[in-house]
Amino acid sequence: MRLISKLGLYVSALGLSSLGLSGLALAAQPKDGSIGFQEAATPVMERLVAFHNGPVMWIITAITIFVLALMIFIMVRFNEKANPVPSKTTHHVALEIAWTILPILILLGMVGPSMKLLYMQDRLPETEMTIKVTGNTWYWSYEYPEMADQVEAFDSLLLEKPDAKAAGKPYLLGTDAPLVVPVNTKVKVLVTSNNNLHSFAVPAFGVKMDAVPGRLNETWFEVLREGTFYGQCSELCGVKHAYMPIEVQAVSKSEFDKWVRNGGAFTTNTAQNSAAAASAAPK
Amino acid sequence: MAVIGADDTGYGHDDKPGFFARWFYSTNHKDIGTLYLIFAIFSGIVGGYLSFMMRLELGEPGVQIFEDLHTYNVFVSMHGLIMIFFMVMPAVIGGFGNWFVPIMIGAPDMAFPRMNNLSFWLLPVALICLLISFFVPGSASGNGFGGGWVMYPPLSTTGSPGPSFDFIIIGLLAAGFSSIFGAINFITTILNMRAPGMTIHKMPLFAWSVLVTAALLLLALPVLAAALFMLLTDRIEGGTGFFDPARGGDPEMFQHLFWFFGHPEVYIMILPAFGIVSHVVSTFSKKPIFGYLGMAYAMVAIGVVGFVVWAHHMYTVGMDVNLKAYFLAATLVIAVPTGVKIFSWLATMWGGSIRFTIPMMWAIAFIFLFVIGGVTGVVLANAGIDVALHDTYYVVAHFHYVLSMGAVFGIFCGFTYWFGKMFGVQYNKWLAGAHFWTFFIGVNLIFFPQHFLGMQGMPRRYVDYPEEFAYFNSISTMGAYLTLASVVLFFVWLAEALIVRRKVEDNYWGEGANTLEWTLSSPPPYHQFNQLPVIKDDDGH
C-alpha cells in the first residue's frame, strides 16, 4: 500500500523538519508528501525560507523539546510513587523573573530579522515593469499597462481535468493562459477585484496580496529562474473559490520581448500561448 | 413579619421545584450550568458532524460528497460559528462558570439569577436561527450562508443576498446579548459576592479566569454587534454603504471591526480553560499553584494585550508596512505571559506527588499541545512569514491546536474533574481513559499534517485540491475517523456513569483538592452556603 510504504520516509522526514531542515521540494508546485515550503523563486521567498527554516524553526523546536523533556522528567521524578511527599514551594522570585525575561530576550532577537524581512517584502524597490491583476468570480485577469498597445488584457481560466491532462499541467493549478513574466526583472503587481474579495498568491514567490474591490494593492516580485509557478486564490470568494488557480510562466528576457512583440504569444501562428506553456511546464 | 425557620432554608431538604419549573424557569446557577453543558454537547454534535463531513470530502482529491459546492462553504462557515458560539463558549463560561464560580468564591448563587436564566434561553433561540439558515436561500448558488465564520463583505452583503445570512446575524446578535448578560452577571458576582475573607488575591484561579473572560466579553461583543448591524443595514436594498466602495465605504473596515472582536474572542475561549487546568494541575500534584499572583496577572495581561493585536489576522489586506510592524511586535508580546503560565504549571508539578488521573492526563496533554499551538502562533506573528502561511492549512492547524486541543481539552479536563461533583456519580476510568487516548491521537493525526499542507501552500476552505496535496489529507481524514470513534467512547462513558451510578464522596480527589466546592456534598445542595464560609488568613496561597 502506498501509504505504508511511504510511512518510513515520513518518520525520518519528520525528524529532519523538527531540526529545521524541512522538506527540500524541488518543484515550483506543491509536491505530495512534502513537509516544507515550496522552493523559493524570488529573493523575498529566499529570505522568508531562510528566516523560517533557520532561527524561527530552531527556536520553536528547542522550546517544544525543552517543555516536553521537562514534562517527561517531572512525570518520572515527581509521580506519586517516586515522590510520595509533595513539597510546599509556591514561590521562587528568581525563577519567575527568569522565565519572564528569557522569552523577552528570545523574542527581541527574533524581531530584528523579522522586521528586515517584512520591510524587504513590503517596500517596493525601483520596479522595471507593472502587471495589473484583477480577481473576478471565478478567474483572474491580467493586464500589462505599460505594454497595453502590444499585449491585450486577458483572462486566465482553470483548465478542466481532461484539458489539463492534455496540456500536461496539474489539475486545479493549470490555466489556459498563464501570466508571463521575464526573469531577473523587478515586477510591480497591482491587485484589485471586481466583486468579492480574492487573494493573489504564488507560494514560490512569497507573494500573497488580497484583491479588494475599490482598492489597488501593490506588491512585487523578481523571479530568479525560468519555469512555471502555480498558486491558488487565497481568500474565500464564493462557490468556486477552489477553482481559480494562478499560473505564472517565467521566461528569459529575450523570450519575453518576443512574447510581447507577438501580442502575447510565443509563436506568431497561435493566438494563445498555451501550447508553448505546455511544453515548458513539465519538469 | 414572618420568621424564617432554620428548616425552611436548611440543607435538610432541597425544596426543588417540579420538573418544568426547575429546568425551564430555572434561576439556580447549578441547574443553569447543567443546561449550558447539555446545550454545548448538543451543539458539539452538530459542529462535529459538519467538520467530519468536511474531512470525509477532503480524504482524497476530487469532489466526493459536496456535488453542490456551495454546501461545502456552508459547512465550513457553520462549523466555525457553531463550535465557537454554541459549543466552546457555553461549555466553559456558561457551564463550568455558572457551576463553579459562585461555589468557589463562597456565594449562594449568581448576582442576577433571572438574568442568568435569560442568558441561557437566548442561546437556543440563537442556535435555532443558525439552524434555520441552513434551509433558506443564501446566494444564487443555494441554501445556507457560505461566507466563512468571519463573514467578510462583499461576500456577506452583495455576495449572499438571501435571507439565510439575516438569520445568522439575528442569531449571533442573540448569542452576543446572551454573552453580555452573562458577563455582567459574572463580573457583579465576582466583585461583590465573595465570602468574608476571600480577597481578590485569594480568589481561585478559575474565578480569576472567568472574571478576565467576562471583561473581554463586555468590551469585545458590542463591537461585533455593531459590525453585524452595519452588515444588516448594508444588506438592505438602498440601505447604508459602510462596506461598499461604490458608496464610499471600505470592505476592510469590517475586517478591522470583526477582528477587534475576533482576537479577544480566542482568549475568551481559552482563558477559562487556563483556569480549569490550573486547578487540576494543583490538585493532582498535591501542591498549591506555583506563582499564584503571576498566574492571575498573566491572564489579565493576555486579556489586555489581546485587544491591541487584532490586525495580525490581516497582514495580507494591504496595510501600511509600519502598521504591520507594530502588530508584529505587539503580537510577539503575548508569548511572554503565556510562557509564564506554561512554566508556572510545570513548576506546580515540580516537587509534587503527581497522580495520573483522567483529568490530570487531559491537563498535561493540554499544556503540551498548547505549547505546539503557541509556537506556531509565534511563527505566524512574523508578518513576513505569515504572507506565505496566511489563509493556508498552517493557520487551520495552528488555531485547532489552541482551540480544538486547547479549549476542548480544557473542557474535557473540567468535565472529568468535576463530573462527580456535579452529578454525584463517578465514571469508569478505563472507558474515560480510552476516550482520552483515542481523542489525543485522533486530533493530532488530523491537525499535525495540516502544518505541512499549509507550508506547501494548500489554501483553506477548498472543497477540492490538486493531487499534490493528497497524502497528508488522507492521513488527516484517518485521524477524523479515530476522533469519531473517540466521541462515541465519550458518550459510552457518560451513559455508563449515569446508568451505573457509582456514588462519590464530598471530596473524592482527596488531598490537593482544597477549593470550596470540595467542602460541599456531591452533588452540592440545591442552595449552598446558607451560612457563608469564612476564609482564614493562612488559607490558599
Side-chain angles (χ1 to χ4, degrees):
Chain A
M1 211 174 129
R2 199 172 69 109
L3 276 180
I4 291 166
S5 68
K6 272 195 162 181
L7 219 58
L9 183 74
Y10 288 107
V11 173
S12 54
L14 274 172
L16 275 180
S17 106
S18 54
L19 288 174
L21 308 166
S22 30
L24 301 165
L26 288 169
Q29 66 188 60
K31 198 169 153 232
D32 203 10
S34 183
I35 61 173
F37 284 118
Q38 292 181 28
E39 201 202 351
T42 64
V44 167
M45 191 59 187
E46 276 178 356
R47 185 188 280 261
L48 192 157
V49 173
F51 178 49
H52 175 274
N53 290 6
V56 173
M57 201 66 200
W58 278 105
I59 289 170
I60 68 167
T61 309
I63 290 172
T64 310
I65 289 176
F66 173 68
V67 171
L68 182 63
L70 203 58
M71 283 178 92
I72 291 171
F73 176 79
I74 289 170
M75 287 191 277
V76 172
R77 173 66 188 79
F78 297 110
N79 67 54
E80 212 169 20
K81 283 200 195 80
N83 192 40
V85 184
S87 87
K88 289 292 164 207
T89 318
T90 58
H91 294 95
H92 193 294
V93 176
L95 199 59
E96 289 183 62
I97 291 175
W99 70 44
T100 311
I101 300 292
L102 212 65
I104 292 178
L105 293 179
I106 294 173
L107 292 174
L108 279 177
M110 193 186 274
V111 164
S114 183
M115 291 290 180
K116 237 173 157 173
L117 168 66
L118 171 64
Y119 278 82
M120 172 195 187
Q121 200 174 45
D122 209 277
R123 284 271 150 94
L124 268 69
E126 284 289 308
T127 49
E128 295 151 77
M129 63 174 281
T130 306
I131 289 167
K132 186 177 170 206
V133 176
T134 308
N136 309 282
T137 43
W138 287 269
Y139 58 92
W140 295 95
S141 357
Y142 302 118
E143 285 170 59
Y144 294 74
E146 291 137 350
M147 304 152 201
D149 329 339
Q150 290 138 298
V151 184
E152 271 185 60
F154 62 92
D155 298 335
S156 178
L157 278 79
L158 171 88
L159 280 181
E160 291 303 329
K161 205 165 191 176
D163 302 334
K165 210 167 185 183
K169 294 179 183 183
Y171 174 54
L172 294 175
L173 294 173
T175 65
D176 63 344
L179 176 67
V180 178
V181 292
V183 292
N184 300 318
T185 309
K186 294 187 175 66
V187 181
K188 181 197 283 188
V189 188
L190 301 175
V191 187
T192 189
S193 165
N194 261 337
N195 38 35
N196 294 335
L197 298 176
H198 302 275
S199 189
F200 179 77
V202 186
F205 293 179
V207 164
K208 186 174 288 147
M209 184 51 77
D210 285 5
V212 183
R215 285 175 80 113
L216 205 53
N217 281 332
E218 60 176 25
T219 184
W220 71 286
F221 58 74
E222 177 186 3
V223 191
L224 298 175
R225 59 185 153 86
E226 294 176 32
T228 306
F229 304 88
Y230 296 104
Q232 291 168 288
C233 177
S234 297
E235 182 63 70
L236 182 59
C237 57
V239 64
K240 294 187 86 177
H241 173 46
Y243 300 89
M244 47 182 294
I246 295 147
E247 180 181 359
V248 184
Q249 199 181 349
V251 296
S252 69
K253 283 183 181 176
S254 59
E255 191 76 358
F256 181 74
D257 290 339
K258 208 168 91 192
W259 183 79
V260 173
R261 274 200 310 278
N262 288 343
F266 286 104
T267 49
T268 37
N269 54 359
T270 50
Q272 279 296 4
N273 45 31
S274 50
S279 64
K283 279 212 142 188
Chain B
M1 218 170 148
V3 177
I4 298 170
D7 255 16
D8 297 329
T9 53
Y11 289 158
H13 59 91
D14 270 355
D15 60 6
K16 289 190 184 99
F19 177 83
F20 192 81
R22 180 175 179 191
W23 295 108
F24 288 84
Y25 307 159
S26 185
T27 52
N28 181 300
H29 73 105
K30 293 184 286 287
D31 286 351
I32 293 177
T34 303
L35 287 173
Y36 265 113
L37 288 175
I38 295 168
F39 178 81
I41 290 174
F42 174 77
S43 308
I45 296 171
V46 178
Y49 160 77
L50 298 174
S51 61
F52 186 71
M53 294 309 281
M54 276 146 55
R55 259 333 319 157
L56 276 190
E57 169 59 55
L58 297 173
E60 51 185 281
V63 176
Q64 275 80 234
I65 300 165
F66 296 92
E67 293 292 332
D68 173 16
L69 305 178
H70 175 72
T71 308
Y72 180 82
N73 288 348
V74 174
F75 273 43
V76 170
S77 315
M78 302 308 282
H79 165 71
L81 288 171
I82 288 175
M83 285 302 205
I84 290 167
F85 288 97
F86 301 96
M87 195 279 275
V88 174
M89 288 172 67
V92 289
I93 307 166
F96 298 133
N98 259 308
W99 251 100
F100 292 105
V101 165
I103 297 182
M104 279 180 156
I105 63 170
D109 205 309
M110 295 286 281
F112 306 120
R114 291 187 193 182
M115 190 160 78
N116 206 7
N117 175 291
L118 177 63
S119 289
F120 174 74
W121 285 106
L122 276 172
L123 271 186
V125 175
L127 183 63
I128 288 169
C129 286
L130 262 80
L131 294 179
I132 290 174
S133 84
F134 276 96
F135 305 103
V136 296
S139 67
S141 325
N143 286 350
F145 171 66
W149 87 279
V150 296
M151 305 172 283
Y152 287 172
L155 194 52
S156 61
T157 51
T158 50
S160 305
S164 179
F165 187 57
D166 298 311
F167 275 101
I168 290 177
I169 293 181
I170 303 296
L172 291 183
L173 285 173
F177 280 113
S178 154
S179 292
I180 290 172
F181 295 147
I184 292 170
N185 217 341
F186 279 118
I187 293 172
T188 313
T189 308
I190 292 171
L191 293 186
N192 294 298
M193 293 175 65
R194 296 191 308 278
M198 179 172 284
T199 60
I200 196 110
H201 284 163
K202 281 187 188 164
M203 193 166 73
L205 283 174
F206 180 64
W208 261 106
S209 72
V210 172
L211 178 63
V212 177
T213 303
L216 296 186
L217 282 169
L218 201 62
L219 294 171
L221 277 168
V223 180
L224 174 71
L228 288 172
F229 269 117
M230 290 159 94
L231 277 183
L232 199 60
T233 54
D234 264 23
R235 289 166 55 78
I236 296 168
E237 196 74 43
T240 56
F242 291 114
F243 310 126
D244 178 4
R247 287 185 283 171
D250 184 353
E252 273 174 23
M253 189 166 75
F254 178 84
Q255 300 188 23
H256 281 286
L257 290 172
F258 180 83
W259 287 112
F260 188 82
F261 145 80
H263 198 74
E265 173 68 21
V266 302
Y267 298 123
I268 287 166
M269 288 186 275
I270 199 67
L271 283 173
F274 282 176
I276 294 168
V277 166
S278 297
H279 288 287
V280 170
V281 165
S282 159
T283 297
F284 298 110
S285 304
K286 301 194 194 100
K287 270 182 70 192
I289 198 79
F290 187 95
Y292 165 82
L293 278 182
M295 286 293 249
Y297 283 97
M299 287 194 283
V300 175
I302 290 171
V304 172
V305 181
F307 271 107
V308 293
V309 298
W310 74 91
H312 67 217
H313 297 269
M314 303 166 54
Y315 283 144
T316 64
V317 300
M319 249 189 306
D320 183 81
V321 66
N322 295 321
L323 263 179
K324 284 200 242 182
Y326 158 74
F327 281 107
L328 189 174
T331 304
L332 287 179
V333 170
I334 293 180
V336 177
T338 313
V340 168
K341 295 207 69 80
I342 300 283
F343 290 124
S344 296
W345 284 321
L346 294 180
T348 304
M349 290 162 71
W350 185 280
S353 183
I354 300 170
R355 276 168 67 197
F356 296 101
T357 57
I358 303 294
M360 187 60 169
M361 299 212 292
W362 285 107
I364 292 172
F366 169 95
I367 296 170
F368 179 63
L369 298 176
F370 195 80
V371 168
I372 296 182
V375 294
T376 55
V378 171
V379 174
L380 290 167
N382 294 288
I385 296 179
D386 182 71
V387 166
L389 300 173
H390 177 82
D391 248 316
T392 69
Y393 264 84
Y394 191 93
V395 176
V396 177
H398 158 71
F399 70 72
H400 280 96
Y401 261 85
V402 287
L403 293 180
S404 190
M405 289 168 227
V408 173
F409 273 51
I411 291 170
F412 283 127
C413 179
F415 198 67
T416 49
Y417 180 58
W418 284 316
F419 186 77
K421 179 54 70 184
M422 291 189 289
F423 306 114
V425 294
Q426 195 55 290
Y427 45 84
N428 176 307
K429 68 175 179 181
W430 298 105
L431 285 176
H435 167 224
F436 167 79
W437 282 110
T438 46
F439 200 82
F440 179 83
I441 298 168
V443 289
N444 276 292
L445 216 49
I446 297 176
F447 294 111
F448 204 79
Q450 295 185 356
H451 291 113
F452 307 143
L453 289 172
M455 289 183 71
Q456 275 289 293
M458 178 170 168
R460 294 168 70 178
R461 299 161 173 152
Y462 265 34
V463 62
D464 192 7
Y465 52 83
E467 277 171 23
E468 286 72 14
F469 297 122
Y471 181 68
F472 284 122
N473 269 305
S474 69
I475 304 236
S476 191
T477 297
M478 286 198 283
Y481 283 110
L482 188 56
T483 309
L484 178 70
S486 176
V487 172
V488 171
L489 277 171
F490 167 69
F491 286 105
V492 168
W493 78 243
L494 188 62
E496 195 266 357
L498 294 176
I499 291 165
V500 176
R501 304 200 73 78
R502 280 173 293 266
K503 294 267 185 297
V504 289
E505 321 155 22
D506 296 0
N507 184 356
Y508 50 88
W509 296 124
E511 188 193 349
N514 46 23
T515 36
L516 284 173
E517 74 268 33
W518 305 110
T519 64
L520 299 173
S521 59
S522 305
Y526 197 59
H527 298 292
Q528 76 272 357
F529 300 138
N530 290 359
Q531 191 126 42
L532 289 183
V534 176
I535 314 302
K536 295 189 299 288
D537 258 0
D538 55 335
D539 254 20
H541 319 278

